[in-house]
Amino acid sequence: QLQLVESGGGLVQPRGSLRLSCVASGSILSIHAMGWYRQAPGKQRELVAAVTSSGSTNDADPVKGRWTISRDNAKNAVYLELDSLKPDDTAVYYCNENIRRTAWGMWNLYWGQGTQVTVSS
């Protein structure tokens, strides 16, 4: 059973910071891209940031310059540093990882369960 477990969400004041973590556990051969998405109430899920296996990153415009995505391949983990948080950042945040479990298997996208981030004074 492969699963992604997220942590680090919570309630934070505007201009505050949080660090989200997402760790994959189970039988894993390799992981290609990893990413973070968010979904606010009444809105579609949207990409926040992604990082490839080589370390190249892609940040959505609303978070450029404020947040940083990183990964630890040894831990099968992806992180998101959220700085200068705004009320508009309030959403459920989901991680995903593109994982290959065996040498003859296909790449599949796995999702975390989501973690709530609420920015409010």
Side-chain angles (χ1 to χ4, degrees), residues 16-66:
S17 299
L18 284 175
R19 185 176 191 251
L20 305 184
S21 300
C22 172
V23 180
S25 62
S27 177
I28 296 171
L29 178 64
S30 59
I31 303 176
H32 183 46
M34 299 177 172
W36 287 94
Y37 286 70
R38 68 183 179 184
Q39 187 165 18
K43 295 186 177 181
Q44 290 189 331
R45 190 173 297 188
E46 62 177 0
L47 174 69
V48 173
V51 57
T52 68
S53 56
S54 62
S56 296
T57 61
N58 177 34
D59 301 331
D61 287 341
V63 308
K64 281 186 188 225
R66 294 194 296 134

Side-chain angles (χ1 to χ4, degrees), residues 10-15 85-88 90 117-121:
L11 173 64
V12 63
Q13 293 187 340
R15 296 180 296 280
L85 281 158
K86 305 174 183 179
D88 284 349
T90 296
V117 171
T118 302
V119 184
S120 175
S121 55

Side-chain angles (χ1 to χ4, degrees), residues 14 18 28 42 55 62 72-73 76 78 80-81 84 87 99 118:
L18 284 175
I28 296 171
D72 184 333
N73 292 327
N76 298 327
V78 60
L80 187 66
E81 300 277 353
S84 303
I99 295 172
T118 302

